[in-house]
Structure formats: structure tokens, C-alpha cells
Amino acid sequence: MRLLKKGSLLVSLTALLVFSGCGTSGQPAANQGAQSGGKQEPAKQEANGPSGKLTFYTSQPEDDVSKLVSAFNKKYPDVKVESFRSGTEEVTAKLQAENQAGKVQADVLLLADAVTFEGLKKQNLLASYKSPELAKVPKDLVDPDGAYSGTKVMATVLAVNTQKVKTPPTSWKALAAAESKDAAIMPSPLYSGAAAYNVGVLSRTDGFGWDFFKSLKANNVSVVKGNGAVLNAVAGGEKSYGMVVDYLVAREKAKGSPVELVYPSEGVPVITEPIGILKNAANEKAAQAFVDFVLSEDGQKLASSIGYTPIREGVEAPKGLKSINQFKVISSEISKLAEAREADKKQFTSVFGQ
């Protein structure tokens, strides 16, 4: 297994296309390995199970990808998984560039939120696969056509540095309060799928709207690339408050860092980090086995051991996190969020001047 890092993608689609199609040493190895004379190598299949190469695109942290692939390979040792990871928005941009170039390289995709998958579904880029493991996954967290399924429950919460904040807040309004001026931080929806989902939901929720984001800007809330950078800033004492996915805070707290997570009383946006198979995947058999494993009891126990709240019924949340029925969820219609995502990002850019 090779795990590949991806730096910043170029903003323009033209540059992305050039990058995706080039054969230079700067091209991600996930693409180099997937090509042979400009064509993707056919997957080798064996009667006793899936085999050959599986190309996996994801926004999961590197260590989590390594653990997932390692566990999958214990069950399916004949599958060679080549992973490409970056932020959801950059992975999606890469997919779009590959599609424009005429060949999507990925077999399986696991990204932050359902809105991203809904957009890909509308483009007819996803295959329909209804895993037998879906019987244990809540139906409202699964696409009815089989294009994708949630794999986890990840709430965006308030992270607080306990050395700087003696009384933890109970409301999102803490980010715009006078005492938190210059002291809060959040991820950018231009990079993070979770952040893009949060913007879409909160901007359509009573009591928030775009006025909420304008108040954050007025309070000089910092905007950085991803959730990891937000958590690092709060844990390190650079910032007192952060808007960040819950599992990162729980992990850091378990390490002894001075952080606490708060589920605000108004409710929290929740993403499910869906998984789906690309249409015309080169290794469909291995892709289906990979999806089955992620949704299986073993795969969900692995997710819990890593620190995520599992989506599968009957598998407990890890210490420090709440299950979805233990907090209030703020949501919005997925299809509307998908249609408005680009407009929402433009509006966010207009407010924050990014």
C-alpha cells in the first residue's frame, strides 16, 4: 500500500487538467500507478476473492487511511490499495479534472459529506451498489439509489482551550462574543467538505444565516485550510475557540491536551463521511469488497477504535463522543445544499474576503 500526500491543487480547471494528465515526476503516484500507456491497467480477478489494484481517493487523515487499508488487507491480502488523500474540495476538483480529461482514475471514494456525493451522483459519476451491510445502517443516512452511504457520524462542535477559557460556552454565539475577538478559528469551505456543509446548513438555519458569518468576520475569526489546522491552533493555545469536527477534539483531549469539546445548545451540523464506487471502476469486485468492509461490524469497530462515532447500529461510540441520538442535529435538504454549494462558497468568500 502506498499512501500519497497531495499539496495544493491549482485553482483553475485548466491547470488542474494539465496537472492530472501530465507524466512528470510531480504527478501523484496514485495516478502514475493507475496508468499504463495512458490507460488504466485492468484488474486481475481470482475465483477466491478480489485481487489486483484498487485506487482509493479520500479526505481522511493519513494515519486513519493507513489503519483502514491495513485492516482491509488482512481480509483481502491480494488487493493492492493505492490511496490518494487531500481535502474534500481538492479531491473533488481532481475528480472533475480527470472526468474532463476522459478518465476518472479512482475506484472508491470516501469524502466528508453527502452534499459532495449528491453532486457527483447528479453528474452520473457514481455506480449503484447496495451493500448487504446496509441492513444495519440507518436508512436516512443512505442514498436510496445506492450511489453512496454514510460511514460515520461526525458532528461539528466548539473546541475550547481549557487554559484560556475557564467556563466552557454553551452556544455558537461564543465565537462572536466581545471576549473572543481575535481568539477564534474555523476551517475554510473552499478546502474542507465538512466546513462547506456547515456553511450551507448554518446559512439556512433560523438564528444563524449569513448574518452569523458576518458577525464572525467582524470578530476577526481566523479561517484556515482544514479541521486539523483548527484543532492544532486551539490545542496549542494560539486560539481559544475553534469550530471543528468532534473526533479530532476527543483524540487530542485523550492525549492530554488542554482542550474540551462542546455540543452547542442550538444544535450541530453532522456529516457522515460517505463512501461510494465510481462508475466504470477498473476493479469493481475489490471496490465492492472495500465498501462492504467499511460498513461491516469489523470495519465499524475499527472506526470506533480510531476515534469515530460509528454509523452502524449496535457499535458503540468511542469514549469522549456522543452518539447521534444524544445531541440536537441541525440539517438542511441535501439536494438544495448540493445545488447551492458553489454559490455558498462564493458568498463565504465575499464575506471573509478570501
Side-chain angles (χ1 to χ4, degrees), residues 334-348:
I334 295 297
S335 60
K336 291 183 179 178
L337 293 177
E339 290 174 2
R341 172 151 290 190
E342 292 307 312
D344 287 345
K345 288 193 288 186
K346 288 180 180 179
Q347 179 64 22
F348 183 88

Side-chain angles (χ1 to χ4, degrees), residues 157 159 231 244-253 259-261:
V157 299
L231 192 278
V244 65
V245 288
D246 58 359
Y247 76 92
L248 289 178
V249 191
R251 283 185 187 180
E252 198 63 25
K253 180 180 178 180
V259 293
E260 186 60 81
L261 71 157

Side-chain angles (χ1 to χ4, degrees), residues 157-338:
V157 299
L158 277 175
V160 180
N161 183 295
T162 55
Q163 293 178 340
K164 289 179 168 290
V165 181
K166 299 307 178 184
T167 304
T170 60
S171 169
W172 287 112
K173 294 178 182 178
L175 296 176
E179 59 268 26
S180 63
K181 189 173 180 63
D182 302 320
I185 188 168
M186 65 182 290
S188 171
L190 307 184
Y191 177 81
S192 165
Y197 180 80
N198 297 339
V199 169
V201 170
L202 292 176
S203 65
R204 290 168 176 78
T205 299
D206 290 344
F208 291 92
W210 285 108
D211 284 344
F212 171 70
F213 291 99
K214 290 175 182 177
S215 71
L216 300 188
K217 171 62 177 176
N219 217 32
N220 204 23
V221 173
S222 298
V223 179
V224 291
K225 214 172 187 184
N227 282 274
V230 171
L231 192 278
N232 290 339
V234 176
E238 179 186 342
K239 297 292 183 179
S240 301
Y241 305 90
M243 181 184 287
V244 65
V245 288
D246 58 359
Y247 76 92
L248 289 178
V249 191
R251 283 185 187 180
E252 198 63 25
K253 180 180 178 180
K255 294 177 184 177
S257 293
V259 293
E260 186 60 81
L261 71 157
V262 175
Y263 294 85
S265 58
E266 301 97 331
V268 295
V270 169
I271 58 172
T272 59
E273 204 164 70
I275 192 168
I277 299 173
L278 278 299
K279 186 161 283 191
N280 302 319
N283 197 341
E284 184 180 57
K285 187 176 181 181
Q288 292 178 351
F290 193 84
V291 171
D292 291 346
F293 177 76
V294 169
L295 298 175
S296 71
E297 185 174 359
D298 286 344
Q300 291 289 290
K301 285 181 176 179
L302 171 67
S304 181
S305 71
I306 292 174
Y308 297 105
T309 299
I311 204 167
R312 185 183 175 99
E313 297 170 355
V315 183
E316 294 184 359
K319 184 179 179 180
L321 293 179
K322 294 182 179 181
S323 297
I324 194 168
N325 60 352
Q326 295 177 304
F327 52 81
K328 182 179 178 180
V329 176
I330 301 174
S331 62
S332 190
E333 189 176 332
I334 295 297
S335 60
K336 291 183 179 178
L337 293 177

Side-chain angles (χ1 to χ4, degrees), residues 4 13 35 37 65 95 117 139 153 176 183 214 236 257 262 273 290 307 316 338:
L4 308 174
L13 180 59
Q35 294 176 336
V65 178
L95 280 174
F117 279 82
K139 286 183 171 56
V153 175
K214 290 175 182 177
S257 293
V262 175
E273 204 164 70
F290 193 84
E316 294 184 359

Side-chain angles (χ1 to χ4, degrees), residues 96 99 114-127 143 145 147-148 279 333-341:
Q96 297 292 0
N99 186 48
V115 176
T116 297
F117 279 82
E118 191 67 21
L120 296 173
K121 176 186 174 182
K122 288 183 177 181
Q123 288 185 264
N124 200 30
L125 291 177
L126 299 175
D143 175 60
D145 298 318
Y148 58 90
K279 186 161 283 191
E333 189 176 332
I334 295 297
S335 60
K336 291 183 179 178
L337 293 177
E339 290 174 2
R341 172 151 290 190

Side-chain angles (χ1 to χ4, degrees), residues 118 121 128-130 134 139-149:
E118 191 67 21
K121 176 186 174 182
S128 176
Y129 176 60
K130 297 184 178 181
L134 291 176
K139 286 183 171 56
D140 60 343
L141 302 180
V142 177
D143 175 60
D145 298 318
Y148 58 90
S149 166

